[in-house]
Amino acid sequence: MSTKTIKKPTSLDDTTLIDFYRQMALLRVFEERCAEQYMLGKIRGFVHLYIGQEAVAVGAISVLQKDDYVTTHYRDHGHALARGLTPNSVMAELFGKSTGCSKGMGGSMHLFDAPSNFAGGYAIVAGHLPLTNGLAFAFKYNNDKRLVATFFGDGALNEGEAHEVMNMAALWKLPVIFVCENNQYGMGIPLEDSMANPKLTEMAKAYGMPSAKVDGMNVLAVRDATEAAVKHVRAGNGPYFLEFSTYRFRGHSMADPVLYRTKEEEGKYRKLDPILTFGEWLISNKKATQDQLDKINLAIEYIVEESVKFADESPFPKIDDLYKNIYAETT
Amino acid sequence: MAELSYREAMAKALREGLVEDERMFIIGEDIGPYGGPYAVTAGFLDEFGPKRIVESPIAESAMVGIGTGSAMAGLRPVVEIMTINFSLLALDQIVNHAAKIRYMSGGQFTVPLIVRTVTGGGAGLAATHSQNLEGWYASVPGLKVVIPATPHDALGLFRSVRKETDPIMFIEHILLYSTRGEVKDDYYEIPIGKADVKREGKDFSIIAYSRMVNVSIAAADALSKEGIGVEVVDLRSLRPWDRDTVIQSVRKTGRALVVEEVWQTGGFGGEIASAIQHEAFDDLDGPVARLGGLDVPTPYSMSLERLVAPTEATVIEAIRKELAR
């Protein structure tokens, strides 16, 4: 873990800061309700909760343009919500409903939303990295100043595709921000037991790619680091690698009993909770009052409750939809 | 009419695409100064420049990823994978990603990607470089698989393929590049999924694709001298494949032999044979026969390699055997 939650002075206005809190709290409450709905059998398959990592998605996505692309891994609910997908459309997708952001065809691990340039959650570890380069290649081909931010876990760096992709991105100066969410474990394997060199930014250096290792529990640090990366990449200087040290408070998926780490370790990270620490910072720096935050939390409970209701009441895809969208002629 | 080699027909098809569509580019290994491992893109780098003719590191997965992502973003990539054997290194990008994105995104993202690659053995390259894996791809919903046997079909099919908005495996054969054939001067297209009766006959139907079409035609020519009329149906596409033309031919002849180069076990021909026996059962005068490659990794030595894939002689033998039942 890099630093304690140091909060340096910020030039951001109070509204923006409070919105960071609101977004992170939304992600948290949304995931808690997902866990509950999974246990109730409303959500099928694998569900990978983003709890603990909220500062990364919220801070990083906040500095992207609306027309940049975002791609991510299967722990993707947080990125989708931070990108502006509605809780209704994401929850409905998890319920497998036709009102879901992927029309019920993708589920938890495959959220898509073309209008917000959310080019997908992908469930094969590192599998989205090659096509992320492709999205960026198209921008470069068209002399378009847009970029792609792609999120992946520390475990993805052990896949061969990650090497191919970072080499190619650096070689051709593709506009990609590689956002590594280092939550310390690839499923149940600790980083140091799976990587010969656990200093991830040294990997970026091997490709001649600028990089930064930043506290991923601090939304402002995440935001600032990503802003620097955006500036570099948008200027046509090629890709940038960000490592955000973070921690998932829950198991790898809902199916994970978390037998591979200690309660002490979990307790240590709980103290760094990105939402609690940021809330405390907002209050102690007089950016917000406890009353304001309470109201936000209450509003979020309502929004998420509504999303569950919306998902529950939405229709399932029709039998005709089974053969739709396999090919152009079946759309 | 002009006589072109398969190589020249492919070069013509690609050149047309690059000239007509600014969104199209080709990415591959050694397609630039080297001119392409099979010389299909010779001269292209000078003609179209490095923006359109993209020399790739040897990284098949990343290369197909460039294709998939740029296709999602509106370009029309042609990814050249040097041989179908190397496409195994990109299987994740082709099968898990390109083929799934339209479906999984509920139709929001599309992947108009063309993967050109080279199948087949017979060139003395041994087991890792002599496989016919097109049938594997043909089993994947979300992909289309096109596999022309002649210069005429290669050009006409490519013209259709580049208007598609789905990922397509365009499979050429290593031993076909130097074969020659008539190609119409006037513009024409060949629709995907339409088989072609390459040679008519009344007694026996052969269903084949890629280089096995030529082998089958040679066998049919030889048998015709004995008064046995063999019809050769060239599938041209494996996914979708043209049931109607195949069934129609078998209904006429009452006999069928499915010929392919791939290992017979699990070969795509099993799918064809199964459909024939089910849909044309009442018209059959004998069991549906199959002739595929031997179930061995292709050996290097010529003395053994020549035994592996069907030949004119083994096709003739297979038909005689069926007729003698």
Side-chain angles (χ1 to χ4, degrees), chain A residues 72 74 76 93 97 100-114 118-124 127-128 131 321-322 324-327, chain B residues 68 72 92-93 95-111 141-142:
Chain A
T72 183
Y74 46 82
D76 57 351
E93 185 60 32
K97 299 299 182 73
C101 60
S102 306
K103 298 185 184 167
M105 306 312 275
S108 166
M109 302 191 287
H110 311 107
L111 305 176
F112 286 86
D113 186 55
F118 188 74
Y122 294 88
I124 305 292
H128 61 302
L131 67 89
D321 295 330
L322 185 59
K324 272 189 188 162
N325 293 314
I326 302 173
Y327 299 105
Chain B
T68 302
M72 289 168 77
D92 170 57
Q93 286 303 296
V95 178
N96 284 332
H97 294 90
K100 305 286 192 286
I101 284 169
R102 184 193 285 271
Y103 196 74
M104 286 202 312
S105 70
Q108 294 179 84
F109 288 92
T110 58
V111 185

Side-chain angles (χ1 to χ4, degrees), chain A residues 71-72 128-137 148-150 176-178, chain B residues 65 69:
Chain A
T71 61
T72 183
H128 61 302
L129 300 180
L131 67 89
T132 292
N133 262 0
L135 293 164
F137 181 94
V148 191
T150 186
V176 182
I177 303 177
F178 291 101

Side-chain angles (χ1 to χ4, degrees), chain A residues 226-242:
Chain A
T226 312
E227 188 179 47
V230 165
K231 205 174 157 197
H232 174 91
V233 174
R234 216 181 291 286
N237 298 315
Y240 199 104
F241 183 97
L242 291 168

Side-chain angles (χ1 to χ4, degrees), chain B residues 170-189:
Chain B
F170 194 97
I171 317 278
E172 299 155 33
H173 193 291
I174 186 170
L175 296 186
L176 287 179
Y177 283 117
S178 298
T179 60
R180 304 186 72 79
E182 294 288 327
V183 175
K184 270 191 277 184
D185 296 326
D186 291 343
Y187 186 85
Y188 64 96
E189 289 176 15

Side-chain angles (χ1 to χ4, degrees), chain B residues 91-169:
Chain B
L91 212 46
D92 170 57
Q93 286 303 296
I94 297 169
V95 178
N96 284 332
H97 294 90
K100 305 286 192 286
I101 284 169
R102 184 193 285 271
Y103 196 74
M104 286 202 312
S105 70
Q108 294 179 84
F109 288 92
T110 58
V111 185
L113 161 71
I114 302 169
V115 175
R116 280 183 57 229
T117 191
V118 182
T119 194
L125 300 171
T128 63
H129 278 55
S130 307
Q131 300 173 102
N132 304 76
L133 306 176
E134 51 275 2
W136 290 9
Y137 291 110
S139 76
V140 179
L143 294 179
K144 292 183 178 179
V145 179
V146 170
I147 185 157
T150 66
H152 175 266
D153 290 353
L155 176 60
L157 276 167
F158 194 84
R159 284 170 171 163
S160 297
V161 158
R162 68 182 177 82
K163 292 183 178 167
E164 293 273 318
T165 57
D166 290 308
I168 295 180
M169 301 296 291

